[in-house]
Amino acid sequence: MSGTRRKALLKVIILGDSGVGKTSLMNQYVNRRFSNQYKATIGADFLTKDVMIDDRLVTMQIWDTAGQERFQSLGVAFYRGADCCVLAFDVTNAVSFKSLDSWRDEFLIQASPRDPEHFPFVLLGNKIDMEANRAVSAKRHVTMAQSWCAAKGGMPYYEVSAKEAVNVEAAFQAIARDALARESADTSDFPELENNINLNENNRSSSSGGCNC
Amino acid sequence: MSSVSSDVFFDDEKLQQGADENFVEMEVFDILDQARRENPALTRKEEITIAVNLCKEKLRLLSDSDEKEERTLRQGYLDKLIQLGLEKQTIDDEDGEKEEIVRVRGHSFVIQPIRGRNPTCEVCMTTIWKLMHAWRRCKYCGLRTHDKCTSSVGRMCASSLVTRRDFSLNMNICQEQGLAAQNYRCHECAHPLSFEESSTLEPRLCDYSGLYFCSSCHWNDQMTIPARVLHNLDSEPRPVSRASKQLLAMIDNRPLIPLAAANPMLIKLNSSLKRITRIRSDFLFMKCYFVSCRSARQLRILQYLCRHQHFVESADLYTMSEMRDIVSGKLLEEMEDIHQVFVKHITEECETCKGNAFICELCTDKQIIFPFSDNVSMCCKCLAVYHHKCFELRSRFCPRCERRSKRAPVDIDPNERL
């Protein structure tokens, strides 16, 4: 019964500092393409992709956002109604990891989801193909990321590379699954009302007699 | 009082400029005359090189002072340099392939076909009989002359006037000085003028410059006057001199009228102008949406404004043709139509643009709002949009700015690695 009522559209939003590879991740997942060229995203834009999750066809609407503050002058109404938020950082860039908190807070404020404590976030550490560039061992930063995720209510963490398409597909599959799980929980919280109130039917009652001015 | 004296001053400057132009011409003529005597086999190209060197040398010698005389003299040399450069280019062009352009005083005269009406030559004032006379027209200002008359054209091309760095339109409504201020002579060709009844030397007033001209230099052409339309919304065409006509025709589609800056009261009092001003500021906000929207780029939605390119760059300049359309009401109609198309794209049709809308953070209303919606206010720093009432109630406090400023001091070394 509830299965038929689920919407088949999942809204996923990717946030993170500029240059961590948000656009690349989306492009790798949706178009299976990668370019080394850096081009700052202006405003926000989305791509859609149809995926099969447990024999069910879902359309993922993935919103890619501008990481640079100067390209964030427009509004973020698209945060509202999101089913999952992907936080991305660059494993070779410490600053991008430290800004994750503020990205998460910004999202929760602007999206104001019903249950902020349990809203599904997913953390992606991108550019693992450039691990050679890392000064500190991979092990240490994995534990750092994992402890951060644990502190935020057990957020799943994936290490990916948009360039080499490592783990991207799997991460987004998991994202879709998470979002879907969240959604079925939501719908059970708000069973549809049986007696709909039709506003248009009642408002003609007083039209008999009287003056119309 | 002050405005009158400034106009006299302006007049002097003009006369002075005319004298300096002649002075530059004479100097060039002298040096070329001397060079020709020394070397009779001088080609025109070599002559130009000599003249260019003279002008450059003189410009170098002139001090940088801002005195009027120096300034006009400098302008004279600069104009001559440009003319010479263009002439040299013509010769070079002709060496390569036979392109028939004669360049005199900034004009670029192109040979014309023999079809159509017989125009009047603006140099010798006689009819150009197309079947018998070769004739030319300047491709910039439209000045028509016989082929043989091109060398004696006295008027500078309007295109070289408007490309000067200090060019500005005369924004004072016709301030006549009277014939005495012009020594009873035509301002352009110095032909004697008189109001006496018996006289055939009828002076004609140019409504744009406020100066008198003879009938050769003033053909009673009718043009809308920028100052009158700016100050009075009066787009009635009035008689102007040939030079002013060519100038006004040239700038007709250039955004040169700073309506809001020059006449702020008018916008407050005139409802349709108020609306146009609002629409124009909306266009600038909408542009932000269109540049970040893929489908708007594909649809080339900004092309709707292709006749008004400057509308997407700023909000306060108008062209003369737009000013006429404002008076006739045509511009408002056109703008309303385009505005509707834009609003429909952003607020109804486009998923991306709708996603980039704002939701007022200061109240619980879930409705999306846009910078161009009614009753909204915008934070002037981060451009976030709130309901006007909510924003004023919180004394224009912007939560987005506050969050950003808290985030700003990143005290981490950017080179630090994990």
Side-chain angles (χ1 to χ4, degrees):
Chain A
M1 157 75 191
S2 70
T4 55
R5 278 187 49 252
R6 284 182 197 160
K7 64 174 176 184
L9 184 81
L10 290 181
K11 196 164 169 188
V12 174
I13 289 157
I14 312 181
L15 299 179
D17 271 7
S18 86
V20 302
K22 297 178 291 301
T23 310
S24 297
L25 280 167
M26 179 179 76
N27 262 328
Q28 179 57 261
Y29 179 58
V30 177
N31 301 321
R32 302 214 151 77
R33 278 199 208 112
F34 177 81
S35 158
N36 260 319
Q37 197 83 42
Y38 174 70
K39 202 175 142 226
T41 305
I42 301 173
D45 197 3
F46 68 87
L47 289 181
T48 55
K49 184 174 166 108
D50 293 333
V51 282
M52 289 296 285
I53 305 284
D54 301 341
D55 303 333
R56 225 152 64 76
L57 187 70
V58 227
T59 307
M60 272 177 98
Q61 188 185 61
I62 304 169
W63 282 81
D64 172 35
T65 58
Q68 283 186 44
E69 205 162 80
R70 63 197 179 103
F71 293 134
Q72 297 166 10
S73 50
L74 297 179
V76 288
F78 63 92
Y79 282 11
R80 303 254 166 147
D83 296 298
C84 179
C85 177
V86 177
L87 297 173
F89 75 102
D90 173 354
V91 294
T92 66
N93 178 348
V95 181
S96 75
F97 181 77
K98 301 210 169 154
S99 343
L100 289 173
D101 272 314
S102 75
W103 280 111
R104 185 173 173 275
D105 293 346
E106 179 78 16
F107 177 82
L108 288 175
I109 288 166
Q110 298 250 22
S112 56
R114 271 191 290 269
D115 187 6
E117 286 304 306
H118 299 104
F119 187 87
F121 282 94
V122 173
L123 182 65
L124 299 187
N126 191 24
K127 306 199 189 177
I128 53 163
D129 53 286
M130 286 165 57
E131 275 200 285
N133 281 10
R134 279 212 305 247
V136 183
S137 74
K139 226 176 198 172
R140 192 185 141 206
H141 108 261
V142 169
T143 45
M144 253 174 89
Q146 272 167 351
S147 60
W148 187 80
C149 284
K152 302 292 179 221
M155 183 188 296
Y157 170 57
Y158 298 90
E159 297 222 303
V160 296
S161 159
K163 186 177 182 182
E164 256 126 55
V166 179
N167 235 352
V168 175
E169 185 83 32
F172 274 96
Q173 278 281 332
I175 289 162
R177 212 175 285 273
D178 260 27
L180 213 58
R182 143 93 175 176
E183 219 217 306
S184 48
D186 261 11
T187 43
S188 56
D189 285 348
F190 294 88
E192 207 170 327
L193 293 172
E194 300 228 331
N195 298 324
N196 291 341
I197 300 163
N198 193 335
L199 291 171
N200 291 326
E201 239 163 57
N202 301 334
N203 59 7
R204 294 192 65 85
S205 56
S206 64
S207 64
S208 60
C211 110
N212 277 332
C213 61
Chain B
M1 189 61 213
S2 66
S3 74
V4 170
S5 60
S6 81
D7 214 62
V8 176
F9 169 83
F10 162 78
D11 227 346
D12 277 353
E13 196 169 300
K14 265 239 157 137
L15 288 174
Q16 177 72 38
Q17 201 165 313
D20 284 331
E21 253 168 47
N22 287 336
F23 177 71
V24 173
E25 289 288 339
M26 271 161 58
E27 263 193 334
V28 171
F29 183 82
D30 282 348
I31 195 161
L32 288 185
D33 201 38
Q34 200 185 336
R36 272 190 218 114
R37 250 178 281 149
E38 283 169 15
N39 177 9
L42 211 61
T43 65
R44 180 64 191 155
K45 223 172 157 179
E46 286 162 332
E47 282 182 20
I48 291 173
T49 320
I50 294 171
V52 165
N53 288 339
L54 170 82
C55 290
K56 279 187 183 163
E57 189 56 33
K58 292 280 177 190
L59 272 174
R60 215 171 293 136
L61 290 177
L62 276 172
S63 63
D64 265 352
S65 84
D66 223 25
E67 262 173 61
K68 240 190 327 174
E69 274 176 38
E70 302 249 314
R71 213 171 52 211
T72 49
L73 201 57
R74 220 168 21 228
Q75 188 67 57
Y77 282 120
L78 277 175
D79 287 341
K80 187 70 193 167
L81 262 179
I82 294 167
Q83 271 172 43
L84 289 165
L86 286 171
E87 198 184 330
K88 183 154 177 282
Q89 203 187 331
T90 318
I91 294 173
D92 288 345
D93 287 350
E94 276 171 2
D95 285 351
E97 56 183 285
K98 208 86 184 146
E99 206 206 341
E100 275 282 324
I101 293 183
V102 173
R103 296 186 214 263
V104 188
R105 313 215 85 190
H107 299 279
S108 288
F109 290 113
V110 184
I111 205 94
Q112 295 293 308
I114 54 171
R115 271 173 291 122
R117 267 180 337 115
N118 288 321
T120 304
C121 172
E122 293 202 33
V123 178
C124 68
M125 293 300 143
T126 57
T127 307
I128 301 171
W129 299 101
K130 293 185 173 180
L131 281 173
M132 292 181 285
H133 303 147
W135 71 290
R136 290 173 182 274
R137 183 170 175 275
C138 172
K139 63 178 172 184
Y140 302 123
C141 73
L143 191 134
R144 299 175 174 88
T145 83
H146 288 107
D147 188 26
K148 63 180 163 60
C149 297
T150 47
S151 52
S152 15
V153 170
R155 184 182 308 146
M156 281 284 271
C157 181
S159 70
S160 63
L161 293 178
V162 300
T163 48
R164 281 185 187 171
R165 221 172 27 168
D166 57 349
F167 171 76
S168 63
L169 279 176
N170 178 7
M171 288 304 180
N172 296 318
I173 292 179
C174 181
Q175 283 176 316
E176 223 194 295
Q177 295 299 309
L179 269 184
Q182 294 178 219
N183 274 331
Y184 297 91
R185 285 175 183 280
C186 167
H187 176 71
E188 190 170 306
C189 66
H191 195 275
L193 298 173
S194 154
F195 273 115
E196 280 166 41
E197 254 176 59
S198 59
S199 166
T200 52
L201 313 166
E202 171 206 0
R204 293 180 177 176
L205 180 67
C206 169
D207 199 87
Y208 171 69
S209 60
L211 297 163
Y212 283 97
F213 293 85
C214 67
S215 55
S216 302
C217 303
H218 188 314
W219 296 3
N220 286 328
D221 300 291
Q222 305 259 323
M223 292 301 275
T224 302
I225 311 299
R228 288 190 189 272
V229 79
L230 175 66
H231 295 295
N232 300 350
L233 278 189
D234 168 8
S235 68
E236 198 62 32
R238 279 160 218 271
V240 292
S241 68
R242 286 303 286 168
S244 301
K245 192 232 155 167
Q246 282 155 1
L247 180 82
L248 292 176
M250 184 165 290
I251 56 99
D252 204 49
N253 278 315
R254 291 188 198 196
L256 291 172
I257 318 282
L259 189 61
N263 197 351
M265 276 306 276
L266 193 63
I267 294 171
K268 282 187 193 140
L269 296 173
N270 184 305
S271 63
S272 76
L273 255 180
K274 208 175 186 173
R275 179 73 188 144
I276 290 177
T277 312
R278 168 74 198 269
I279 290 179
R280 283 195 63 172
S281 79
D282 284 358
F283 280 165
L284 292 183
F285 294 134
M286 291 170 171
K287 177 186 150 193
C288 301
Y289 282 85
F290 294 148
V291 293
S292 64
C293 167
R294 209 167 354 120
S295 75
R297 280 200 302 270
Q298 268 162 11
L299 291 166
R300 298 170 158 271
I301 202 161
L302 279 171
Q303 284 294 311
Y304 278 97
L305 283 175
C306 63
R307 298 203 315 117
H308 311 276
Q309 274 294 318
H310 54 283
F311 277 23
V312 289
E313 275 140 34
S314 76
D316 37 47
L317 292 177
Y318 290 86
T319 68
M320 276 303 286
S321 71
E322 282 158 8
M323 290 305 291
R324 280 197 306 275
D325 287 348
I326 286 174
V327 178
S328 72
K330 251 166 58 191
L331 189 74
L332 181 59
E333 249 172 65
E334 195 188 338
M335 292 298 110
E336 290 281 16
D337 288 349
I338 299 175
H339 190 258
Q340 221 166 19
V341 173
F342 284 5
V343 167
K344 202 170 166 206
H345 174 90
I346 296 177
T347 65
E348 288 170 34
E349 289 166 349
C350 178
E351 198 74 16
T352 311
C353 291
K354 267 196 284 186
N356 286 322
F358 289 86
I359 292 170
C360 181
E361 280 186 48
L362 302 174
C363 65
T364 54
D365 187 8
K366 296 266 185 290
Q367 276 297 324
I368 53 172
I369 47 177
F370 292 90
F372 49 85
S373 306
D374 290 320
N375 303 322
V376 297
S377 282
M378 199 180 215
C379 165
C380 49
K381 253 202 212 146
C382 75
L383 308 180
V385 178
Y386 306 98
H387 292 122
H388 182 70
K389 270 190 188 160
C390 303
F391 201 41
E392 292 301 325
L393 265 176
R394 301 283 299 270
S395 329
R396 304 183 76 78
F397 160 75
C398 173
R400 186 157 94 160
C401 278
E402 204 201 36
R403 288 199 300 274
R404 285 189 178 183
S405 67
K406 270 186 191 161
R407 208 181 310 152
V410 182
D411 48 358
I412 316 166
D413 175 14
N415 296 321
E416 187 194 331
R417 305 204 183 262
L418 276 176

